[in-house]
Structure formats: structure tokens, C-alpha cells
Short mmCIF file of all heavy atoms in Angstrom, two decimals:
data_model
loop_
_atom_site.label_atom_id
_atom_site.label_comp_id
_atom_site.label_asym_id
_atom_site.label_seq_id
_atom_site.Cartn_x
_atom_site.Cartn_y
_atom_site.Cartn_z
N SER A 83 -4.55 -6.90 -29.90
CA SER A 83 -5.07 -5.52 -29.79
C SER A 83 -3.91 -4.66 -29.30
O SER A 83 -3.05 -5.10 -28.59
CB SER A 83 -6.29 -5.46 -28.88
OG SER A 83 -5.84 -5.89 -27.54
N LEU A 84 -3.96 -3.34 -29.68
CA LEU A 84 -3.02 -2.48 -29.28
C LEU A 84 -3.37 -1.93 -27.89
O LEU A 84 -4.36 -1.24 -27.77
CB LEU A 84 -2.83 -1.29 -30.32
CG LEU A 84 -1.57 -0.45 -30.27
CD1 LEU A 84 -0.37 -1.31 -30.63
CD2 LEU A 84 -1.70 0.67 -31.21
N GLN A 85 -2.53 -2.16 -26.99
CA GLN A 85 -2.79 -1.84 -25.53
C GLN A 85 -1.63 -1.10 -24.93
O GLN A 85 -0.51 -1.52 -25.26
CB GLN A 85 -3.16 -3.03 -24.72
CG GLN A 85 -4.39 -3.75 -25.23
CD GLN A 85 -4.64 -5.01 -24.41
OE1 GLN A 85 -3.95 -5.27 -23.37
NE2 GLN A 85 -5.66 -5.75 -24.78
N PRO A 86 -1.93 -0.16 -24.04
CA PRO A 86 -0.79 0.38 -23.34
C PRO A 86 -0.21 -0.55 -22.33
O PRO A 86 -0.95 -1.44 -21.83
CB PRO A 86 -1.43 1.66 -22.60
CG PRO A 86 -2.85 1.26 -22.43
CD PRO A 86 -3.17 0.48 -23.66
N LYS A 87 1.04 -0.38 -21.99
CA LYS A 87 1.70 -1.30 -21.12
C LYS A 87 0.98 -1.39 -19.79
O LYS A 87 0.93 -2.33 -19.13
CB LYS A 87 3.19 -0.85 -20.89
CG LYS A 87 4.05 -1.77 -20.05
CD LYS A 87 5.40 -1.25 -19.97
CE LYS A 87 6.30 -2.07 -19.05
NZ LYS A 87 7.64 -1.53 -18.87
N SER A 88 0.50 -0.20 -19.21
CA SER A 88 -0.12 -0.20 -17.97
C SER A 88 -1.33 -1.19 -17.93
O SER A 88 -1.67 -1.45 -16.79
CB SER A 88 -0.47 1.25 -17.66
OG SER A 88 -1.43 1.70 -18.58
N ASP A 89 -1.94 -1.60 -19.01
CA ASP A 89 -3.04 -2.42 -19.02
C ASP A 89 -2.75 -3.84 -18.53
O ASP A 89 -3.58 -4.61 -18.15
CB ASP A 89 -3.67 -2.59 -20.40
CG ASP A 89 -4.48 -1.29 -20.66
OD1 ASP A 89 -4.67 -0.48 -19.71
OD2 ASP A 89 -4.93 -1.10 -21.75
N TYR A 90 -1.41 -4.22 -18.69
CA TYR A 90 -1.09 -5.59 -18.25
C TYR A 90 0.03 -5.75 -17.28
O TYR A 90 0.53 -6.77 -16.98
CB TYR A 90 -0.71 -6.51 -19.56
CG TYR A 90 0.51 -5.87 -20.26
CD1 TYR A 90 1.73 -6.28 -19.86
CD2 TYR A 90 0.36 -4.97 -21.31
CE1 TYR A 90 2.87 -5.82 -20.57
CE2 TYR A 90 1.46 -4.51 -21.98
CZ TYR A 90 2.76 -4.91 -21.65
OH TYR A 90 3.84 -4.44 -22.28
N HIS A 91 0.42 -4.63 -16.70
CA HIS A 91 1.47 -4.56 -15.77
C HIS A 91 1.02 -4.02 -14.43
O HIS A 91 0.51 -2.88 -14.46
CB HIS A 91 2.68 -3.83 -16.33
CG HIS A 91 3.79 -3.63 -15.21
ND1 HIS A 91 4.58 -4.72 -14.89
CD2 HIS A 91 4.30 -2.56 -14.56
CE1 HIS A 91 5.53 -4.26 -13.99
NE2 HIS A 91 5.25 -2.99 -13.70
N PHE A 92 1.13 -4.77 -13.41
CA PHE A 92 0.66 -4.36 -12.07
C PHE A 92 1.95 -3.69 -11.38
O PHE A 92 2.84 -4.33 -11.06
CB PHE A 92 0.18 -5.42 -11.23
CG PHE A 92 -1.11 -5.98 -11.66
CD1 PHE A 92 -1.30 -7.16 -12.43
CD2 PHE A 92 -2.30 -5.26 -11.30
CE1 PHE A 92 -2.52 -7.52 -12.78
CE2 PHE A 92 -3.58 -5.67 -11.69
CZ PHE A 92 -3.63 -6.86 -12.41
N CYS A 93 1.83 -2.36 -11.08
CA CYS A 93 2.90 -1.76 -10.45
C CYS A 93 2.72 -1.72 -8.90
O CYS A 93 3.61 -1.40 -8.12
CB CYS A 93 3.15 -0.35 -10.96
SG CYS A 93 1.78 0.75 -10.77
N ASN A 94 1.41 -2.00 -8.53
CA ASN A 94 1.15 -1.96 -7.03
C ASN A 94 0.62 -3.37 -6.71
O ASN A 94 -0.36 -3.82 -7.25
CB ASN A 94 0.02 -0.88 -6.82
CG ASN A 94 -0.28 -0.73 -5.33
OD1 ASN A 94 0.09 -1.63 -4.53
ND2 ASN A 94 -0.90 0.37 -5.00
N GLN A 95 1.29 -4.03 -5.90
CA GLN A 95 0.97 -5.40 -5.50
C GLN A 95 -0.33 -5.58 -4.81
O GLN A 95 -0.83 -6.72 -4.73
CB GLN A 95 2.13 -6.00 -4.63
CG GLN A 95 3.41 -6.22 -5.43
CD GLN A 95 4.43 -6.87 -4.55
OE1 GLN A 95 4.30 -7.08 -3.40
NE2 GLN A 95 5.58 -7.31 -5.26
N SER A 96 -0.88 -4.43 -4.31
CA SER A 96 -2.18 -4.54 -3.55
C SER A 96 -3.25 -4.99 -4.61
O SER A 96 -4.33 -5.50 -4.19
CB SER A 96 -2.61 -3.19 -2.91
OG SER A 96 -2.67 -2.19 -3.93
N GLU A 97 -3.02 -4.75 -5.92
CA GLU A 97 -4.00 -5.19 -6.95
C GLU A 97 -3.86 -6.62 -7.27
O GLU A 97 -4.66 -7.21 -8.03
CB GLU A 97 -3.72 -4.34 -8.18
CG GLU A 97 -3.76 -2.88 -8.01
CD GLU A 97 -3.40 -2.10 -9.26
OE1 GLU A 97 -3.39 -2.75 -10.36
OE2 GLU A 97 -3.00 -0.92 -9.12
N LEU A 98 -2.91 -7.43 -6.76
CA LEU A 98 -2.66 -8.74 -7.06
C LEU A 98 -3.33 -9.80 -6.16
O LEU A 98 -3.22 -10.97 -6.42
CB LEU A 98 -1.22 -9.09 -7.18
CG LEU A 98 -0.42 -8.24 -8.24
CD1 LEU A 98 1.10 -8.60 -8.15
CD2 LEU A 98 -0.88 -8.42 -9.60
N GLY A 99 -3.91 -9.27 -5.08
CA GLY A 99 -4.57 -10.24 -4.14
C GLY A 99 -3.58 -11.11 -3.44
O GLY A 99 -3.84 -12.22 -3.07
N ILE A 100 -2.38 -10.55 -3.04
CA ILE A 100 -1.40 -11.35 -2.31
C ILE A 100 -1.99 -11.63 -0.92
O ILE A 100 -2.49 -10.73 -0.24
CB ILE A 100 -0.14 -10.49 -2.28
CG1 ILE A 100 0.48 -10.40 -3.61
CG2 ILE A 100 0.87 -11.20 -1.28
CD1 ILE A 100 1.77 -9.62 -3.63
N PRO A 101 -1.93 -12.94 -0.44
CA PRO A 101 -2.58 -13.26 0.77
C PRO A 101 -1.69 -12.95 2.02
O PRO A 101 -0.42 -12.68 1.85
CB PRO A 101 -2.74 -14.75 0.58
CG PRO A 101 -1.55 -15.18 -0.20
CD PRO A 101 -1.48 -14.10 -1.25
N PHE A 102 -2.23 -12.95 3.16
CA PHE A 102 -1.37 -12.92 4.36
C PHE A 102 -0.79 -14.27 4.57
O PHE A 102 -1.39 -15.30 4.36
CB PHE A 102 -2.29 -12.52 5.59
CG PHE A 102 -2.73 -11.16 5.69
CD1 PHE A 102 -3.69 -10.56 4.90
CD2 PHE A 102 -1.95 -10.29 6.50
CE1 PHE A 102 -4.07 -9.16 5.00
CE2 PHE A 102 -2.31 -8.95 6.55
CZ PHE A 102 -3.31 -8.38 5.89
N LEU A 103 0.43 -14.21 5.20
CA LEU A 103 1.08 -15.43 5.50
C LEU A 103 1.09 -15.69 6.98
O LEU A 103 0.98 -14.80 7.77
CB LEU A 103 2.65 -15.24 5.05
CG LEU A 103 2.83 -15.10 3.53
CD1 LEU A 103 4.36 -14.93 3.24
CD2 LEU A 103 2.20 -16.14 2.68
N ASN A 104 1.27 -16.90 7.36
CA ASN A 104 1.20 -17.45 8.75
C ASN A 104 2.51 -17.94 9.24
O ASN A 104 3.26 -18.61 8.48
CB ASN A 104 0.11 -18.50 8.92
CG ASN A 104 -1.26 -18.09 8.59
OD1 ASN A 104 -1.93 -17.42 9.50
ND2 ASN A 104 -1.77 -18.27 7.40
N GLU A 105 2.89 -17.50 10.44
CA GLU A 105 4.21 -17.94 10.99
C GLU A 105 3.91 -18.29 12.47
O GLU A 105 3.29 -17.60 13.17
CB GLU A 105 5.19 -16.80 10.89
CG GLU A 105 6.53 -17.19 11.44
CD GLU A 105 7.53 -16.09 11.33
OE1 GLU A 105 7.52 -15.26 12.26
OE2 GLU A 105 8.22 -15.92 10.35
N PHE A 106 4.34 -19.53 12.81
CA PHE A 106 4.19 -19.98 14.23
C PHE A 106 5.54 -20.12 14.88
O PHE A 106 6.54 -20.60 14.19
CB PHE A 106 3.53 -21.30 14.25
CG PHE A 106 2.05 -21.20 13.68
CD1 PHE A 106 1.84 -21.52 12.36
CD2 PHE A 106 1.02 -20.92 14.51
CE1 PHE A 106 0.54 -21.37 11.90
CE2 PHE A 106 -0.28 -20.84 14.07
CZ PHE A 106 -0.52 -21.08 12.69
N LYS A 107 5.72 -19.78 16.14
CA LYS A 107 6.94 -19.89 16.86
C LYS A 107 6.61 -20.44 18.29
O LYS A 107 5.71 -20.15 18.88
CB LYS A 107 7.60 -18.50 17.02
CG LYS A 107 8.16 -17.88 15.72
CD LYS A 107 8.83 -16.55 15.98
CE LYS A 107 9.29 -15.89 14.68
NZ LYS A 107 9.91 -14.65 15.01
N LEU A 108 7.54 -21.32 18.74
CA LEU A 108 7.40 -21.89 19.94
C LEU A 108 8.80 -22.22 20.54
O LEU A 108 9.60 -22.90 19.83
CB LEU A 108 6.52 -23.10 20.03
CG LEU A 108 6.28 -23.75 21.41
CD1 LEU A 108 5.48 -22.88 22.30
CD2 LEU A 108 5.49 -25.08 21.26
N SER A 109 9.19 -21.78 21.67
CA SER A 109 10.53 -22.04 22.17
C SER A 109 10.32 -22.05 23.76
O SER A 109 9.41 -21.40 24.33
CB SER A 109 11.53 -21.00 21.86
OG SER A 109 11.20 -19.71 22.35
N GLY A 110 11.21 -22.83 24.39
CA GLY A 110 11.14 -22.98 25.80
C GLY A 110 12.46 -23.44 26.40
O GLY A 110 13.31 -23.95 25.60
#
């Protein structure tokens, strides 16, 4: 089907469901 490029290209990553990442630190 003929579609505009914007239909299949995400320019805003908030639309991609990117998860939060976890980071742990411990020092002493």
C-alpha cells in the first residue's frame, strides 16, 4: 500500500515504549 514515511517511522522515542533501566551501586 502507498503510505507516507511518517506512518512507519517513529521520530519520538516516547512512542516506542522504551522501558526504564535499573542501576545499582555499592562502595565502601
Side-chain angles (χ1 to χ4, degrees):
S83 60
L84 198 64
Q85 299 177 4
K87 183 180 178 183
S88 57
D89 284 353
Y90 61 88
H91 174 71
F92 287 101
C93 59
N94 188 342
Q95 291 184 352
S96 63
E97 303 173 21
L98 299 178
I100 294 177
F102 281 82
L103 301 179
N104 295 278
E105 182 180 87
F106 297 92
K107 295 181 179 180
L108 184 64
S109 63

